[in-house]
Short mmCIF file of all heavy atoms in Angstrom, two decimals:
data_model
loop_
_atom_site.label_atom_id
_atom_site.label_comp_id
_atom_site.label_asym_id
_atom_site.label_seq_id
_atom_site.Cartn_x
_atom_site.Cartn_y
_atom_site.Cartn_z
N MET G 831 0.87 -1.19 0.00
CA MET G 831 -0.01 0.00 -0.01
C MET G 831 0.88 1.24 -0.02
O MET G 831 1.82 1.33 0.73
CB MET G 831 -0.93 -0.02 1.26
CG MET G 831 -1.83 1.21 1.37
SD MET G 831 -3.16 1.14 0.17
CE MET G 831 -3.88 2.79 0.39
N CYS G 832 0.58 2.11 -0.84
CA CYS G 832 1.35 3.34 -1.04
C CYS G 832 0.55 4.53 -0.48
O CYS G 832 -0.53 4.72 -0.88
CB CYS G 832 1.66 3.53 -2.52
SG CYS G 832 2.72 4.91 -2.86
N THR G 833 1.22 5.25 0.41
CA THR G 833 0.54 6.43 0.97
C THR G 833 1.43 7.65 0.89
O THR G 833 2.59 7.56 0.62
CB THR G 833 0.16 6.17 2.47
OG1 THR G 833 1.34 5.86 3.17
CG2 THR G 833 -0.81 5.05 2.57
N PHE G 834 0.83 8.76 1.13
CA PHE G 834 1.59 10.00 1.08
C PHE G 834 1.61 10.69 2.43
O PHE G 834 0.66 10.57 3.22
CB PHE G 834 0.90 11.04 0.08
CG PHE G 834 0.95 10.51 -1.31
CD1 PHE G 834 -0.01 9.69 -1.81
CD2 PHE G 834 2.01 10.88 -2.12
CE1 PHE G 834 0.07 9.24 -3.12
CE2 PHE G 834 2.06 10.46 -3.42
CZ PHE G 834 1.09 9.65 -3.91
N ALA G 835 2.67 11.35 2.70
CA ALA G 835 2.79 12.09 3.97
C ALA G 835 3.17 13.54 3.69
O ALA G 835 4.03 13.79 2.90
CB ALA G 835 3.85 11.44 4.88
N ASP G 836 2.39 14.40 4.29
CA ASP G 836 2.72 15.85 4.12
C ASP G 836 3.92 16.17 4.99
O ASP G 836 3.97 15.91 6.21
CB ASP G 836 1.52 16.68 4.57
CG ASP G 836 1.70 18.15 4.32
OD1 ASP G 836 2.84 18.61 4.16
OD2 ASP G 836 0.68 18.85 4.27
N GLN G 837 4.97 16.65 4.41
CA GLN G 837 6.21 16.91 5.12
C GLN G 837 6.25 18.31 5.75
O GLN G 837 7.27 18.70 6.30
CB GLN G 837 7.43 16.74 4.18
CG GLN G 837 7.60 15.34 3.71
CD GLN G 837 7.73 14.35 4.89
OE1 GLN G 837 8.73 14.33 5.55
NE2 GLN G 837 6.72 13.57 5.17
N GLY G 838 5.15 18.99 5.65
CA GLY G 838 5.16 20.39 6.16
C GLY G 838 5.78 21.37 5.23
O GLY G 838 5.90 22.57 5.55
N MET G 839 6.20 20.89 4.06
CA MET G 839 6.75 21.78 3.04
C MET G 839 5.85 21.71 1.82
O MET G 839 5.40 20.62 1.46
CB MET G 839 8.13 21.30 2.65
CG MET G 839 9.20 21.46 3.76
SD MET G 839 10.84 20.94 3.20
CE MET G 839 10.67 19.15 3.28
N PRO G 840 5.53 22.84 1.23
CA PRO G 840 4.69 22.76 0.01
C PRO G 840 5.36 22.08 -1.12
O PRO G 840 6.58 22.15 -1.31
CB PRO G 840 4.49 24.28 -0.30
CG PRO G 840 5.57 25.03 0.39
CD PRO G 840 5.99 24.19 1.56
N HIS G 841 4.59 21.28 -1.85
CA HIS G 841 5.03 20.59 -3.05
C HIS G 841 6.03 19.47 -2.74
O HIS G 841 6.79 19.05 -3.66
CB HIS G 841 5.67 21.57 -4.06
CG HIS G 841 4.84 22.78 -4.26
ND1 HIS G 841 3.53 22.75 -4.72
CD2 HIS G 841 5.08 24.10 -4.05
CE1 HIS G 841 3.07 23.99 -4.75
NE2 HIS G 841 3.99 24.82 -4.38
N THR G 842 6.14 19.08 -1.55
CA THR G 842 7.08 17.99 -1.16
C THR G 842 6.25 16.83 -0.52
O THR G 842 5.54 17.07 0.47
CB THR G 842 8.18 18.46 -0.25
OG1 THR G 842 8.81 19.57 -0.85
CG2 THR G 842 9.19 17.39 -0.03
N TYR G 843 6.42 15.68 -1.01
CA TYR G 843 5.67 14.50 -0.48
C TYR G 843 6.57 13.33 -0.34
O TYR G 843 7.53 13.14 -1.08
CB TYR G 843 4.52 14.13 -1.52
CG TYR G 843 3.54 15.22 -1.78
CD1 TYR G 843 3.74 16.09 -2.84
CD2 TYR G 843 2.45 15.38 -0.95
CE1 TYR G 843 2.84 17.12 -3.06
CE2 TYR G 843 1.56 16.42 -1.17
CZ TYR G 843 1.77 17.24 -2.24
OH TYR G 843 0.89 18.26 -2.53
N VAL G 844 6.23 12.49 0.64
CA VAL G 844 6.87 11.21 0.75
C VAL G 844 5.97 10.16 0.29
O VAL G 844 4.83 10.09 0.72
CB VAL G 844 7.30 10.96 2.23
CG1 VAL G 844 7.78 9.51 2.39
CG2 VAL G 844 8.40 11.93 2.65
N VAL G 845 6.39 9.35 -0.67
CA VAL G 845 5.61 8.24 -1.14
C VAL G 845 6.08 7.00 -0.47
O VAL G 845 7.28 6.65 -0.54
CB VAL G 845 5.75 8.11 -2.70
CG1 VAL G 845 4.86 6.97 -3.19
CG2 VAL G 845 5.41 9.38 -3.41
N ARG G 846 5.19 6.37 0.31
CA ARG G 846 5.58 5.22 1.05
C ARG G 846 5.18 3.94 0.29
O ARG G 846 4.01 3.64 0.06
CB ARG G 846 4.87 5.23 2.38
CG ARG G 846 5.38 6.31 3.35
CD ARG G 846 5.01 6.01 4.77
NE ARG G 846 5.42 7.13 5.63
CZ ARG G 846 4.62 7.90 6.30
NH1 ARG G 846 3.32 7.70 6.23
NH2 ARG G 846 5.13 8.87 7.04
N GLY G 847 6.14 3.19 -0.13
CA GLY G 847 5.91 1.90 -0.75
C GLY G 847 6.73 0.88 -0.03
O GLY G 847 6.86 0.91 1.19
N SER G 848 7.37 -0.02 -0.81
CA SER G 848 8.33 -0.91 -0.19
C SER G 848 9.48 -0.12 0.44
O SER G 848 10.13 -0.54 1.38
CB SER G 848 8.80 -1.96 -1.21
OG SER G 848 9.30 -1.31 -2.36
N GLN G 849 9.74 1.01 -0.17
CA GLN G 849 10.68 1.95 0.43
C GLN G 849 9.98 3.36 0.40
O GLN G 849 9.04 3.53 -0.31
CB GLN G 849 12.00 2.05 -0.43
CG GLN G 849 12.80 0.75 -0.35
CD GLN G 849 14.11 0.97 -1.03
OE1 GLN G 849 14.90 1.88 -0.70
NE2 GLN G 849 14.40 0.08 -1.98
N ASN G 850 10.52 4.29 1.12
CA ASN G 850 10.07 5.61 1.08
C ASN G 850 10.83 6.47 0.11
O ASN G 850 12.05 6.47 0.11
CB ASN G 850 10.12 6.32 2.52
CG ASN G 850 9.15 5.66 3.48
OD1 ASN G 850 8.43 4.77 3.11
ND2 ASN G 850 9.22 6.09 4.71
N TYR G 851 10.09 7.20 -0.73
CA TYR G 851 10.71 8.12 -1.68
C TYR G 851 10.27 9.49 -1.50
O TYR G 851 9.06 9.73 -1.27
CB TYR G 851 10.45 7.63 -3.10
CG TYR G 851 10.98 6.24 -3.42
CD1 TYR G 851 10.08 5.25 -3.75
CD2 TYR G 851 12.32 5.97 -3.26
CE1 TYR G 851 10.55 3.98 -4.02
CE2 TYR G 851 12.83 4.72 -3.57
CZ TYR G 851 11.92 3.68 -3.90
OH TYR G 851 12.39 2.45 -4.16
N LEU G 852 11.13 10.42 -1.60
CA LEU G 852 10.83 11.84 -1.44
C LEU G 852 10.64 12.48 -2.81
O LEU G 852 11.47 12.43 -3.66
CB LEU G 852 11.97 12.53 -0.69
CG LEU G 852 11.73 14.01 -0.33
CD1 LEU G 852 10.60 14.18 0.68
CD2 LEU G 852 12.97 14.66 0.22
N VAL G 853 9.44 12.99 -2.98
CA VAL G 853 9.08 13.70 -4.25
C VAL G 853 9.02 15.19 -3.98
O VAL G 853 8.35 15.64 -3.11
CB VAL G 853 7.70 13.18 -4.78
CG1 VAL G 853 7.32 13.93 -6.06
CG2 VAL G 853 7.76 11.69 -5.02
N ASP G 854 9.78 15.89 -4.82
CA ASP G 854 9.77 17.36 -4.77
C ASP G 854 9.16 17.85 -6.08
O ASP G 854 9.75 17.80 -7.13
CB ASP G 854 11.15 17.89 -4.59
CG ASP G 854 11.20 19.41 -4.38
OD1 ASP G 854 10.26 20.08 -4.83
OD2 ASP G 854 12.18 19.87 -3.75
N LEU G 855 7.94 18.36 -6.00
CA LEU G 855 7.21 18.83 -7.23
C LEU G 855 7.81 20.08 -7.75
O LEU G 855 7.71 20.38 -8.95
CB LEU G 855 5.73 18.99 -6.92
CG LEU G 855 4.91 17.70 -6.81
CD1 LEU G 855 3.44 18.03 -6.59
CD2 LEU G 855 5.10 16.86 -8.04
N GLU G 856 8.38 20.85 -6.88
CA GLU G 856 8.94 22.14 -7.31
C GLU G 856 10.14 21.85 -8.27
O GLU G 856 10.28 22.46 -9.34
CB GLU G 856 9.45 22.96 -6.12
CG GLU G 856 9.56 24.45 -6.41
CD GLU G 856 8.81 25.25 -5.39
OE1 GLU G 856 8.89 24.95 -4.19
OE2 GLU G 856 8.05 26.21 -5.78
N LYS G 857 10.98 20.94 -7.88
CA LYS G 857 12.13 20.56 -8.68
C LYS G 857 11.84 19.42 -9.64
O LYS G 857 12.66 19.04 -10.50
CB LYS G 857 13.32 20.20 -7.79
CG LYS G 857 13.84 21.29 -6.88
CD LYS G 857 14.87 20.75 -5.93
CE LYS G 857 15.23 21.73 -4.84
NZ LYS G 857 15.80 21.08 -3.66
N GLU G 858 10.62 18.84 -9.46
CA GLU G 858 10.26 17.62 -10.26
C GLU G 858 11.30 16.54 -10.08
O GLU G 858 11.81 15.99 -11.10
CB GLU G 858 10.03 17.98 -11.70
CG GLU G 858 8.85 18.94 -11.87
CD GLU G 858 8.45 19.05 -13.34
OE1 GLU G 858 9.17 18.61 -14.19
OE2 GLU G 858 7.36 19.62 -13.54
N THR G 859 11.60 16.22 -8.79
CA THR G 859 12.54 15.18 -8.55
C THR G 859 11.91 14.13 -7.64
O THR G 859 10.98 14.40 -6.90
CB THR G 859 13.82 15.72 -7.87
OG1 THR G 859 13.45 16.36 -6.64
CG2 THR G 859 14.56 16.67 -8.76
N CYS G 860 12.44 12.94 -7.69
CA CYS G 860 12.10 11.87 -6.84
C CYS G 860 13.40 11.09 -6.46
O CYS G 860 14.33 11.10 -7.27
CB CYS G 860 11.06 10.92 -7.51
SG CYS G 860 10.62 9.52 -6.47
N THR G 861 13.40 10.49 -5.29
CA THR G 861 14.64 9.80 -4.87
C THR G 861 14.73 8.37 -5.31
O THR G 861 15.66 7.67 -4.95
CB THR G 861 14.75 9.92 -3.33
OG1 THR G 861 13.59 9.39 -2.76
CG2 THR G 861 14.96 11.38 -2.94
N CYS G 862 13.71 7.88 -6.07
CA CYS G 862 13.69 6.48 -6.42
C CYS G 862 14.67 6.18 -7.58
O CYS G 862 15.04 7.06 -8.37
CB CYS G 862 12.28 5.99 -6.80
SG CYS G 862 11.75 6.56 -8.44
N PRO G 863 15.07 4.92 -7.78
CA PRO G 863 16.03 4.56 -8.81
C PRO G 863 15.46 4.81 -10.22
O PRO G 863 16.28 5.12 -11.16
CB PRO G 863 16.26 3.03 -8.61
CG PRO G 863 15.72 2.74 -7.23
CD PRO G 863 14.72 3.78 -6.88
N ASP G 864 14.14 4.67 -10.36
CA ASP G 864 13.55 4.88 -11.68
C ASP G 864 13.78 6.32 -12.15
O ASP G 864 14.13 6.57 -13.29
CB ASP G 864 12.06 4.56 -11.58
CG ASP G 864 11.51 4.15 -12.89
OD1 ASP G 864 12.25 3.61 -13.73
OD2 ASP G 864 10.30 4.35 -13.12
N HIS G 865 13.51 7.25 -11.26
CA HIS G 865 13.75 8.66 -11.57
C HIS G 865 15.28 8.98 -11.86
O HIS G 865 15.59 9.74 -12.69
CB HIS G 865 13.22 9.53 -10.49
CG HIS G 865 13.19 10.99 -10.82
ND1 HIS G 865 14.29 11.82 -10.67
CD2 HIS G 865 12.22 11.72 -11.45
CE1 HIS G 865 13.93 13.02 -11.16
NE2 HIS G 865 12.69 13.01 -11.63
N ALA G 866 16.11 8.26 -11.08
CA ALA G 866 17.55 8.48 -11.27
C ALA G 866 18.02 8.04 -12.65
O ALA G 866 19.00 8.60 -13.17
CB ALA G 866 18.26 7.65 -10.19
N ARG G 867 17.24 7.10 -13.28
CA ARG G 867 17.59 6.71 -14.60
C ARG G 867 16.99 7.66 -15.67
O ARG G 867 17.10 7.41 -16.83
CB ARG G 867 17.07 5.27 -14.88
CG ARG G 867 17.92 4.22 -14.24
CD ARG G 867 17.58 2.86 -14.77
NE ARG G 867 16.25 2.40 -14.32
CZ ARG G 867 16.07 1.66 -13.22
NH1 ARG G 867 17.08 1.34 -12.47
NH2 ARG G 867 14.91 1.33 -12.91
N GLY G 868 16.34 8.72 -15.19
CA GLY G 868 15.86 9.77 -16.12
C GLY G 868 14.40 9.59 -16.53
O GLY G 868 13.89 10.31 -17.37
N HIS G 869 13.66 8.68 -15.86
CA HIS G 869 12.26 8.47 -16.13
C HIS G 869 11.47 9.42 -15.26
O HIS G 869 11.81 9.74 -14.14
CB HIS G 869 11.84 7.08 -15.86
CG HIS G 869 12.57 6.09 -16.70
ND1 HIS G 869 12.35 5.96 -18.00
CD2 HIS G 869 13.49 5.13 -16.35
CE1 HIS G 869 13.18 4.98 -18.48
NE2 HIS G 869 13.83 4.46 -17.49
N THR G 870 10.28 9.80 -15.79
CA THR G 870 9.32 10.45 -14.93
C THR G 870 8.56 9.31 -14.20
O THR G 870 7.78 8.64 -14.80
CB THR G 870 8.30 11.31 -15.74
OG1 THR G 870 9.02 12.30 -16.42
CG2 THR G 870 7.27 11.93 -14.83
N CYS G 871 8.89 9.17 -12.96
CA CYS G 871 8.44 7.91 -12.25
C CYS G 871 6.99 8.06 -11.79
O CYS G 871 6.41 9.15 -11.77
CB CYS G 871 9.38 7.64 -11.11
SG CYS G 871 9.21 8.86 -9.81
N LYS G 872 6.46 6.94 -11.35
CA LYS G 872 5.08 6.87 -10.91
C LYS G 872 4.86 7.68 -9.64
O LYS G 872 3.77 8.20 -9.40
CB LYS G 872 4.56 5.45 -10.74
CG LYS G 872 5.50 4.63 -9.85
CD LYS G 872 5.00 3.18 -9.83
CE LYS G 872 5.91 2.32 -9.02
NZ LYS G 872 7.10 1.83 -9.79
N HIS G 873 5.88 7.84 -8.85
CA HIS G 873 5.74 8.57 -7.60
C HIS G 873 5.55 10.07 -7.91
O HIS G 873 4.67 10.76 -7.28
CB HIS G 873 7.01 8.46 -6.76
CG HIS G 873 7.47 7.01 -6.62
ND1 HIS G 873 8.64 6.56 -7.15
CD2 HIS G 873 6.88 5.98 -6.01
CE1 HIS G 873 8.71 5.30 -6.88
NE2 HIS G 873 7.68 4.87 -6.22
N LEU G 874 6.32 10.57 -8.88
CA LEU G 874 6.19 11.97 -9.30
C LEU G 874 4.79 12.20 -9.88
O LEU G 874 4.13 13.22 -9.55
CB LEU G 874 7.30 12.27 -10.29
CG LEU G 874 7.49 13.74 -10.64
CD1 LEU G 874 7.81 14.55 -9.42
CD2 LEU G 874 8.69 13.86 -11.60
N LEU G 875 4.36 11.29 -10.73
CA LEU G 875 3.03 11.45 -11.37
C LEU G 875 1.92 11.43 -10.27
O LEU G 875 1.01 12.20 -10.35
CB LEU G 875 2.80 10.25 -12.37
CG LEU G 875 3.68 10.31 -13.58
CD1 LEU G 875 3.44 9.05 -14.42
CD2 LEU G 875 3.32 11.51 -14.43
N ALA G 876 2.08 10.51 -9.32
CA ALA G 876 1.09 10.39 -8.24
C ALA G 876 1.04 11.69 -7.42
O ALA G 876 -0.05 12.16 -7.03
CB ALA G 876 1.41 9.19 -7.40
N ALA G 877 2.22 12.25 -7.16
CA ALA G 877 2.27 13.48 -6.39
C ALA G 877 1.64 14.65 -7.11
O ALA G 877 0.97 15.52 -6.54
CB ALA G 877 3.74 13.82 -5.98
N VAL G 878 1.84 14.69 -8.44
CA VAL G 878 1.21 15.74 -9.27
C VAL G 878 -0.29 15.63 -9.17
O VAL G 878 -1.06 16.62 -8.97
CB VAL G 878 1.66 15.62 -10.75
CG1 VAL G 878 0.80 16.47 -11.66
CG2 VAL G 878 3.14 16.06 -10.86
N LEU G 879 -0.79 14.41 -9.29
CA LEU G 879 -2.22 14.18 -9.23
C LEU G 879 -2.76 14.55 -7.85
O LEU G 879 -3.82 15.10 -7.69
CB LEU G 879 -2.57 12.70 -9.54
CG LEU G 879 -2.30 12.31 -11.01
CD1 LEU G 879 -2.46 10.80 -11.16
CD2 LEU G 879 -3.18 13.07 -11.96
N LEU G 880 -2.01 14.18 -6.82
CA LEU G 880 -2.42 14.50 -5.42
C LEU G 880 -2.51 16.03 -5.28
O LEU G 880 -3.44 16.55 -4.68
CB LEU G 880 -1.40 13.90 -4.45
CG LEU G 880 -1.73 14.14 -2.98
CD1 LEU G 880 -2.82 13.13 -2.55
CD2 LEU G 880 -0.49 13.97 -2.12
N GLU G 881 -1.54 16.71 -5.79
CA GLU G 881 -1.47 18.14 -5.66
C GLU G 881 -2.67 18.78 -6.35
O GLU G 881 -3.24 19.79 -5.91
CB GLU G 881 -0.18 18.70 -6.24
CG GLU G 881 -0.09 20.21 -6.15
CD GLU G 881 1.17 20.71 -5.47
OE1 GLU G 881 1.36 20.26 -4.33
OE2 GLU G 881 1.86 21.47 -6.05
N ARG G 882 -3.11 18.22 -7.47
CA ARG G 882 -4.29 18.71 -8.13
C ARG G 882 -5.60 18.33 -7.42
O ARG G 882 -6.66 18.81 -7.81
CB ARG G 882 -4.36 18.09 -9.56
CG ARG G 882 -3.31 18.68 -10.49
CD ARG G 882 -3.50 18.03 -11.84
NE ARG G 882 -2.43 18.38 -12.77
CZ ARG G 882 -2.19 17.68 -13.84
NH1 ARG G 882 -2.91 16.61 -14.16
NH2 ARG G 882 -1.21 18.01 -14.63
N GLY G 883 -5.49 17.53 -6.45
CA GLY G 883 -6.67 17.15 -5.68
C GLY G 883 -7.52 16.12 -6.40
O GLY G 883 -8.68 15.89 -6.07
N GLU G 884 -6.92 15.42 -7.32
CA GLU G 884 -7.66 14.40 -8.06
C GLU G 884 -7.52 13.06 -7.32
O GLU G 884 -6.77 12.21 -7.63
CB GLU G 884 -7.14 14.27 -9.48
CG GLU G 884 -7.31 15.56 -10.23
CD GLU G 884 -6.79 15.51 -11.67
OE1 GLU G 884 -6.46 14.36 -12.13
OE2 GLU G 884 -6.67 16.49 -12.32
N LYS G 885 -8.31 12.96 -6.26
CA LYS G 885 -8.18 11.84 -5.31
C LYS G 885 -8.44 10.50 -6.00
O LYS G 885 -7.73 9.54 -5.73
CB LYS G 885 -9.14 12.02 -4.16
CG LYS G 885 -8.86 13.29 -3.31
CD LYS G 885 -7.71 13.00 -2.31
CE LYS G 885 -7.19 14.28 -1.73
NZ LYS G 885 -8.21 15.03 -1.02
N LYS G 886 -9.39 10.43 -6.90
CA LYS G 886 -9.71 9.20 -7.57
C LYS G 886 -8.54 8.78 -8.47
O LYS G 886 -8.21 7.58 -8.55
CB LYS G 886 -10.98 9.32 -8.40
CG LYS G 886 -12.22 9.30 -7.51
CD LYS G 886 -13.49 9.36 -8.37
CE LYS G 886 -14.69 9.31 -7.41
NZ LYS G 886 -15.97 9.60 -8.16
N ALA G 887 -7.93 9.73 -9.10
CA ALA G 887 -6.77 9.44 -9.95
C ALA G 887 -5.62 8.95 -9.07
O ALA G 887 -4.89 8.02 -9.45
CB ALA G 887 -6.35 10.70 -10.72
N VAL G 888 -5.48 9.54 -7.91
CA VAL G 888 -4.40 9.06 -6.97
C VAL G 888 -4.70 7.65 -6.54
O VAL G 888 -3.76 6.84 -6.47
CB VAL G 888 -4.35 10.02 -5.77
CG1 VAL G 888 -3.43 9.43 -4.70
CG2 VAL G 888 -3.83 11.38 -6.20
N GLN G 889 -5.94 7.34 -6.25
CA GLN G 889 -6.25 5.96 -5.89
C GLN G 889 -5.85 4.97 -6.99
O GLN G 889 -5.31 3.92 -6.72
CB GLN G 889 -7.77 5.84 -5.57
CG GLN G 889 -8.09 6.30 -4.18
CD GLN G 889 -9.59 6.46 -3.94
OE1 GLN G 889 -10.37 5.95 -4.76
NE2 GLN G 889 -9.97 7.03 -2.86
N ARG G 890 -6.20 5.38 -8.23
CA ARG G 890 -5.80 4.49 -9.34
C ARG G 890 -4.29 4.40 -9.48
O ARG G 890 -3.76 3.31 -9.70
CB ARG G 890 -6.37 5.08 -10.68
CG ARG G 890 -7.83 4.74 -10.86
CD ARG G 890 -8.22 4.88 -12.29
NE ARG G 890 -8.00 6.21 -12.90
CZ ARG G 890 -8.83 7.24 -12.81
NH1 ARG G 890 -9.98 7.08 -12.26
NH2 ARG G 890 -8.54 8.39 -13.30
N MET G 891 -3.62 5.52 -9.25
CA MET G 891 -2.15 5.49 -9.31
C MET G 891 -1.60 4.62 -8.14
O MET G 891 -0.62 3.86 -8.35
CB MET G 891 -1.63 6.89 -9.14
CG MET G 891 -0.14 7.03 -9.38
SD MET G 891 0.33 6.60 -11.08
CE MET G 891 -0.35 7.94 -12.02
N ASN G 892 -2.19 4.65 -6.98
CA ASN G 892 -1.76 3.81 -5.90
C ASN G 892 -1.93 2.37 -6.27
O ASN G 892 -1.10 1.52 -5.90
CB ASN G 892 -2.55 4.14 -4.62
CG ASN G 892 -2.02 5.38 -3.91
OD1 ASN G 892 -0.87 5.77 -4.17
ND2 ASN G 892 -2.77 5.95 -3.02
N GLU G 893 -3.00 2.02 -6.96
CA GLU G 893 -3.16 0.62 -7.40
C GLU G 893 -2.06 0.26 -8.34
O GLU G 893 -1.55 -0.85 -8.27
CB GLU G 893 -4.50 0.52 -8.15
CG GLU G 893 -5.74 0.63 -7.23
CD GLU G 893 -5.76 -0.42 -6.12
OE1 GLU G 893 -5.53 -1.58 -6.48
OE2 GLU G 893 -5.94 -0.05 -4.95
N ALA G 894 -1.68 1.17 -9.22
CA ALA G 894 -0.60 0.93 -10.19
C ALA G 894 0.73 0.70 -9.47
O ALA G 894 1.52 -0.18 -9.80
CB ALA G 894 -0.49 2.02 -11.17
N VAL G 895 0.95 1.49 -8.43
CA VAL G 895 2.19 1.35 -7.60
C VAL G 895 2.21 0.04 -6.94
O VAL G 895 3.20 -0.65 -6.91
CB VAL G 895 2.28 2.53 -6.62
CG1 VAL G 895 3.41 2.28 -5.60
CG2 VAL G 895 2.46 3.88 -7.26
N LYS G 896 1.08 -0.36 -6.43
CA LYS G 896 1.00 -1.66 -5.70
C LYS G 896 1.23 -2.80 -6.65
O LYS G 896 1.88 -3.81 -6.27
CB LYS G 896 -0.44 -1.78 -5.10
CG LYS G 896 -0.47 -2.73 -3.93
CD LYS G 896 -1.69 -2.57 -3.02
CE LYS G 896 -2.92 -1.97 -3.62
NZ LYS G 896 -4.10 -1.99 -2.77
N ALA G 897 0.85 -2.64 -7.87
CA ALA G 897 0.97 -3.73 -8.88
C ALA G 897 2.42 -3.76 -9.41
O ALA G 897 2.81 -4.81 -9.90
CB ALA G 897 -0.02 -3.52 -10.03
N ALA G 898 3.16 -2.71 -9.29
CA ALA G 898 4.47 -2.63 -9.90
C ALA G 898 5.48 -3.46 -9.08
O ALA G 898 5.27 -3.71 -7.91
CB ALA G 898 4.92 -1.15 -9.99
ZN1 ZN H 1472 9.92 7.77 -7.93
#
């Protein structure tokens, strides 16, 4: 199960999966290996959706994260 935690900083989220990854929407960065390889990773996408308040989309994204 993947969840988000508000870090008290705007545009910054922690995506909790098998590991915790820090997503910074301002810099469009994530600490996961996928992003390090130059991909726009699912964590970043999920955080973008979360920021837009598209909760249903986030739920779908969480399902995708769980399946990955
Ligand atoms: Zn990521």
Side-chain angles (χ1 to χ4, degrees):
M831 179 73 187
C832 185
T833 57
F834 293 88
D836 188 339
Q837 294 304 288
M839 294 181 283
H841 315 301
T842 305
Y843 300 92
V844 170
V845 183
R846 292 198 182 116
S848 51
Q849 295 187 53
N850 290 359
Y851 298 120
L852 185 66
V853 177
D854 187 335
L855 285 182
E856 203 128 42
K857 297 176 191 157
E858 296 191 349
T859 59
C860 178
T861 55
C862 78
D864 207 27
H865 190 273
R867 283 194 292 267
H869 300 291
T870 300
C871 68
K872 53 186 176 275
H873 313 113
L874 192 56
L875 291 174
V878 167
L879 293 172
L880 183 78
E881 179 125 307
R882 287 182 189 162
E884 297 179 13
K885 296 282 166 57
K886 284 181 180 173
V888 170
Q889 279 169 11
R890 282 201 299 273
M891 189 62 70
N892 281 341
E893 290 300 311
V895 170
K896 203 164 21 177

